């Protein structure tokens, strides 16, 4: 330690003489100075930097060791050559990461953590054996039926998200047989919307009938998605049947299903006029855009 400090002191002598206005020539270094300089050069760089800061605090009039003046005289390397030291630790004692460690960030990582290992295994097995009814039934009996409630609900939601609607319907039937099952409108809603987006309208109407048998009424978003699904499926009459069922709902009407119908029924002016009249009665302050009749060849 003392040899390293003496070596640093030798390096900083010219700058001290320049500060004190001395014009005398530097003395020849002694043998002890040579040993101190060699010790300073052999000191590790982080330790050497701490020693420099210690000397600077002891002699506040000395310019910073990384200044341009000291670099011009060749005493110390300039800022571009001196290695960048790591940031000091936070008060809590933990180092802040300055790099990406490869782990996923954001909603993907959180959603993976919400699904247990057994639920993930069940999802993979259901997708693997969905083409073989015998193997699928055996896998359901051995691995899916013994899952906990949270895992079964997680499997159902993940299958709906991946648009594996046939497996989602099978999983829904398994859940319905559980003792803890209670009719839930949101469970029906998610399954019906997933079926409608995949244009599985026949299966969607079967689930719709089961929902109505349990005295459950869907919300406006469910009505809108089913109506949109029938319009994409090319069946405006079924869309109108859903619309008539919506008018019997105890919940107050909303604009979304009406907007979907008014847009999808543009090629069918008679049906569209019926919906338009109801919309104007329920929402008199809202505006409806009517495109020119020449667009659809109606004169």
């Amino acid at each position: 330690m003392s040899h390293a400090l003496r070596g640093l002191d030798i390096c900083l002598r010219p700058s001290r003489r320049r500060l004190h206005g001395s014009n005398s020539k530097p003395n020849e270094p002694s043998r002890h100075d040579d040993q101190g300089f060699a010790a300073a050069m052999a000191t590790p760089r982080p330790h050497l930097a701490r020693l420099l800061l210690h000397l600077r605090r002891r002699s506040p009039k000395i310019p910073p060791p990384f200044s341009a003046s000291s670099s011009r005289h060749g005493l110390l390397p300039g800022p571009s050559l001196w290695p960048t030291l790591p940031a000091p630790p936070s008060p809590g004692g933990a180092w802040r990461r300055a790099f990406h460690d490869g782990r996923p960030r954001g909603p993907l990582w959180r959603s993976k953590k919400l699904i247990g290992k057994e639920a993930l295994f069940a999802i993979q097995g259901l997708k693997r054996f969905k083409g073989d009814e015998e193997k699928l039934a055996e896998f359901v009996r051995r691995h899916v039926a013994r899952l906990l409630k949270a895992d079964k609900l997680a499997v159902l939601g993940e299958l709906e998200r991946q648009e594996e609607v046939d497996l989602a319907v099978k999983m829904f039937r398994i859940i319905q047989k559980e003792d803890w099952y209670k009719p839930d409108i949101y469970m029906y809603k998610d399954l019906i919307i997933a079926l409608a987006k995949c244009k599985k309208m026949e299966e969607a109407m079967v689930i719709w009938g089961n929902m109505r048998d349990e005295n459950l009424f869907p919300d406006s978003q469910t009505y809108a998605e089913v109506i949109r699904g029938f319009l994409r499926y090319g069946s405006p009459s079924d869309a109108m049947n859903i619309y008539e069922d919506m008018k019997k709902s105890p919940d107050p009407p909303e604009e979304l299903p009406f907007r979907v119908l008014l847009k999808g029924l543009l090629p069918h002016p008679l049906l569209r006029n019926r919906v338009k009249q109801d919309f104007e009665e329920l929402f008199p302050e809202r505006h409806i855009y009517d495109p020119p009749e020449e667009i659809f060849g109606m004169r």
Side-chain angles (χ1 to χ4, degrees):
M1 180 73 174
S2 59
H3 288 296
L5 286 173
R6 189 180 298 111
L8 292 177
D9 187 64
I10 295 171
C11 295
L12 297 176
R13 280 177 186 173
S15 59
R16 287 174 178 162
R17 287 196 300 271
R18 186 165 55 252
L19 286 174
H20 294 288
S22 175
N23 296 325
S24 60
K25 295 182 180 180
N27 299 327
E28 292 296 328
S30 63
R31 182 174 59 85
H32 299 286
D33 295 339
D34 293 339
Q35 294 178 355
F37 186 78
M41 293 297 102
T43 305
R45 289 183 176 179
H47 191 191
L48 188 61
R50 289 195 293 269
L51 294 176
L52 289 171
L53 294 177
H54 175 70
L55 285 176
R56 184 182 175 187
R57 295 192 191 100
R58 193 174 65 178
S59 302
K61 294 183 179 182
I62 301 176
F66 304 112
S67 62
S69 60
S70 60
S71 299
R72 282 197 303 268
H73 291 279
L75 300 177
L76 290 172
S80 61
L81 299 178
W82 198 264
T84 304
L85 298 178
S90 60
W95 286 85
R96 187 180 183 87
R97 293 183 181 271
F99 58 92
H100 191 272
D101 54 3
R103 293 183 298 177
R105 296 288 189 263
L108 176 64
W109 179 249
R110 290 196 294 270
S111 64
K112 288 290 185 183
K113 291 174 66 176
L114 292 177
I115 303 177
K117 293 182 179 180
E118 293 190 1
L120 289 175
F121 176 76
I123 293 170
Q124 294 173 356
L126 290 173
K127 293 170 65 176
R128 185 185 303 117
F129 300 122
K130 65 179 179 181
D132 192 335
E133 290 295 332
E134 184 178 354
K135 292 183 179 180
L136 182 62
E138 180 66 18
F139 183 82
V140 168
R141 184 183 66 83
R142 296 184 58 182
H143 299 284
V144 179
R146 66 183 184 87
L147 292 177
L148 299 177
K149 175 182 177 180
D151 290 333
K152 289 182 178 179
L153 296 177
V155 170
L156 176 61
E158 185 64 19
L159 291 174
E160 292 171 351
R161 189 189 69 83
Q162 297 182 13
E163 296 184 353
E164 296 285 349
V165 290
D166 295 333
L167 295 176
V169 172
K170 184 178 291 294
M171 192 67 204
F172 178 71
R173 298 305 183 190
I174 295 173
I175 292 176
Q176 281 184 316
K177 298 177 183 179
E178 298 292 335
D179 297 334
W180 47 262
Y181 170 75
K182 293 182 180 179
D184 186 4
I185 183 60
Y186 296 102
M187 192 181 301
Y188 277 105
K189 170 187 173 180
D190 295 337
L191 184 57
I192 291 173
I193 290 177
L195 289 168
K197 288 183 177 180
C198 296
K199 298 183 180 180
K200 301 277 188 177
M201 301 311 301
E202 296 180 1
E203 293 85 346
M205 292 312 299
V206 173
I207 303 297
W208 184 281
N210 296 336
M211 177 184 62
R212 295 305 307 273
D213 292 340
E214 294 181 350
N215 296 323
L216 297 176
F217 283 89
D219 58 358
S220 60
Q221 182 183 4
T222 309
Y223 278 117
E225 292 297 334
V226 173
I227 290 172
R228 184 182 286 113
F230 275 121
L231 293 174
R232 291 176 180 173
Y233 193 68
S235 181
S237 59
D238 291 330
M240 291 300 298
N241 293 334
I242 299 298
Y243 170 70
E244 294 296 334
D245 185 80
M246 183 185 68
K247 292 166 64 176
K248 301 176 184 178
S249 175
D251 298 330
E254 296 186 15
E255 292 188 37
L256 181 60
F258 287 92
R259 296 287 184 182
V260 173
L261 265 175
L262 290 172
K263 182 179 179 180
L265 293 177
L266 285 174
H268 308 279
L270 297 179
L271 297 177
R272 187 174 186 274
N273 288 335
R274 287 173 51 188
V275 178
K276 181 179 178 181
Q277 291 176 1
D278 296 339
F279 181 82
E280 290 175 347
E281 292 178 0
L282 294 172
F283 308 98
E285 299 179 357
R286 299 298 182 180
H287 176 70
I288 300 176
Y289 171 71
D290 294 321
E293 296 181 355
E294 292 80 4
I295 295 179
F296 299 96
M298 295 178 291
R299 300 289 182 181

